[in-house]
Structures are given as C-alpha cells and as structure tokens.
Amino acid sequence: MALPQEKNYTEEDYYNLPENVRAELINGQFYNMSSPSRVHQELLMELSGTILNYIKAKGGPCRVYPAPFAVKLFRDRTDIVEPDISVICDRNKLTNKGCSGAPDWIIEIVSPSNPSHDYITKLSMYHDAGVREYWIVDPQNSEIHVYNMEDGTFTTKTYSFHDTVKVGIYDDLSIDFSSLDIDV
C-alpha cells in the first residue's frame, strides 16, 4: 500500500487562501500563523512607527511594511513569508501583491508557539535570500538578536529591552528599547 504523499502547494494556492487565513508558504508547505498577542502588537506598532518616522524625516527611498505583507524571497522558488516588519529600499521590488525579492531589513517578533521558525528556518532563508539585516525580537526573554548579513559577512549580537540598538542599514538610526511604550 502506498503511503499518502504531502501535497506541495504553489504560489497560486497561497494567493487563493481565504482572507481570514494567515499562513506562510515554505518549501511547498503551509505554516499557519497564530493570532498575535497584545505585547506582539505593541512591539509591532512601536517599532514600525519609529522606523517610519525616521524614514519620513530623512526623505529616503525606503518603505516600511508591517504584517500582513507578503514577501516572495526568491524568484525561482514559491516560498512566501509574512515578516512582522519589512523595510524595502529598492522600490522595484514592490508589487501589488507585496515584495518580490529580499527586503533590506526584516524584524520578526517571536511567537511562543513556534520560536524555532524565526531562529532557524527564517534565519537561514533570509540569509540565503540576501536580507541585509535581520532582527529577532523576543518578548518572552526580553532580548533582541541582531544579525548583520551584508556583503557576505554574518555577525550577530544580542541586546536586552534596556538597550539602545544601532540599525546596521542606516548610519544614524538607533532604537532605544527602554523608551518604547510596551507592557511586557
């Protein structure tokens, strides 16, 4: 008797999901996304707002997109992720569906239900795709893990929610986590 085979889903399947379903498509499989917590949403709003205010003040070309926002990392693969925050500086990557190609900076806020997704699966994907900077914000441990992956290098540094974190893709932006209005 043949064993049942996993179905490999496509980009078309992803875009045909019902409006109320949030999922990511990785290696042909859907990964359902749970509803975010209140702390997750506070972090998302505070960080997105800080980045947006900086970009507007500088008049730069970059755009910031909070989730849900579809990112197709690779042109030759069907993987589509929804980072919590995506900063895209090359507007040619923007489409009506989201982003096609690697954002310059991605921030993921760790969900307690599946932390390995951000720490292992997505870290590897983002590195392979050419994301310049990746932050994992972990409210459960009050930590920020910063991965700089620019120019073929790969460095990492860990900060606490009491620290000010320098943004690598900008010369003059730092985010003071102790000043963010969140109740962890």
Side-chain angles (χ1 to χ4, degrees), residues 60-175:
C62 301
R63 293 286 185 255
V64 59
Y65 295 94
F69 182 73
V71 174
K72 185 175 192 259
L73 291 167
F74 306 95
R75 294 191 191 283
D76 60 342
R77 291 174 29 192
T78 60
D79 299 322
I80 301 172
V81 294
E82 290 190 12
D84 289 311
I85 300 173
S86 301
V87 176
I88 296 112
C89 299
D90 179 355
R91 292 190 190 179
N92 291 322
K93 293 180 180 180
L94 298 174
T95 70
N96 286 337
K97 293 181 178 182
C99 177
S100 182
D104 294 271
W105 178 21
I106 289 178
I107 299 174
E108 294 284 8
I109 301 166
V110 175
S111 166
S113 64
N114 193 3
S116 67
H117 197 60
D118 294 324
Y119 283 103
I120 298 169
T121 305
K122 286 187 171 181
L123 173 60
S124 177
M125 287 179 70
Y126 294 160
H127 180 262
D128 292 347
V131 172
R132 294 167 54 196
E133 185 165 356
Y134 175 41
W135 288 18
I136 300 174
V137 178
D138 187 340
Q140 289 75 32
N141 295 309
S142 297
E143 293 179 337
I144 306 99
H145 302 273
V146 176
Y147 300 88
N148 286 300
M149 303 182 284
E150 208 164 7
D151 302 323
T153 63
F154 187 97
T155 60
T156 183
K157 188 163 183 183
T158 301
Y159 299 88
S160 80
F161 276 29
H162 301 289
D163 293 328
T164 297
V165 182
K166 168 78 175 74
V167 177
I169 69 165
Y170 295 115
D171 292 332
D172 58 349
L173 175 60
S174 294
I175 298 177

Side-chain angles (χ1 to χ4, degrees), residues 5 21 34 47 142 148 154 183:
Q5 294 189 10
V21 174
S34 60
L47 291 169
S142 297
N148 286 300
F154 187 97
D183 294 322

